[in-house]
Amino acid sequence: MENLLQNIDWFALLSAIWTIVLVPIGKEIYEWLKLKKLDEYALILYDEVLNAVKSVYETEVKDIKGTDGWTQEKMQEVKEIAKDKAIYAIPSIAYRCLKEANEDFEEYLDGLIGTALYDLKNGLNKGGENG
């Protein structure tokens, strides 16, 4: 048995274990962590979208909604303001990761604005829970 242990090329054995077992597991763990981080960033962005929508409502919308000043152009303008506020409020790393993960980030952000408006109008928080 002792001869067998002396004849083993430990470096080759460890390299094989590294290549066959640990590298694929490491890649899976990395991908899982990356997805968890993206989920975290998406929640941060959604929270900031909610804050931005509330803020824009108070500063831009509340006084003109229901008047002649509440035009399609004004609606689009305040939507862009809300998007900008949300983007500026999140960490730059979160913005870069989310933008990279979503081919059409602008469309994704538009969807979040729509979801936030719906949730606020219906008294819901993220996840569909009552607020």
Side-chain angles (χ1 to χ4, degrees):
M1 183 71 159
E2 200 171 301
N3 271 346
L4 180 64
L5 291 176
Q6 288 176 346
N7 292 334
I8 293 176
D9 183 353
W10 288 103
F11 182 74
L13 179 63
L14 290 175
S15 292
I17 291 171
W18 176 262
T19 304
I20 296 168
V21 178
L22 297 178
V23 169
I25 290 172
K27 286 181 182 177
E28 289 295 320
I29 291 171
Y30 174 77
E31 288 300 317
W32 180 79
L33 289 172
K34 187 175 167 184
L35 289 174
K36 292 298 276 180
K37 189 56 90 175
L38 280 175
D39 287 347
E40 182 182 321
Y41 290 157
L43 289 173
I44 291 169
L45 177 60
Y46 181 76
D47 286 343
E48 292 306 331
V49 165
L50 274 174
N51 292 337
V53 168
K54 290 176 189 175
S55 172
V56 169
Y57 178 80
E58 288 297 318
T59 59
E60 303 283 334
V61 176
K62 183 171 69 172
D63 294 333
I64 64 167
K65 192 169 183 178
T67 69
D68 291 340
W70 189 238
T71 63
Q72 288 295 323
E73 292 81 20
K74 187 64 174 178
M75 287 180 207
Q76 188 60 36
E77 177 187 327
V78 297
K79 186 180 200 180
E80 292 302 316
I81 293 170
K83 287 167 50 175
D84 288 344
K85 282 180 175 276
I87 288 171
Y88 294 140
I90 65 173
S92 61
I93 185 72
Y95 173 72
R96 287 192 308 268
C97 287
L98 288 169
K99 191 163 176 138
E100 182 180 309
N102 294 282
E103 284 184 26
D104 192 349
F105 184 76
E106 289 297 316
E107 196 68 34
Y108 172 68
L109 195 51
D110 281 345
L112 286 180
I113 296 281
T115 300
L117 286 169
Y118 176 85
D119 288 352
L120 290 170
K121 285 179 184 177
N122 292 292
L124 301 174
N125 290 330
K126 64 182 174 232
E129 299 171 18
N130 286 331

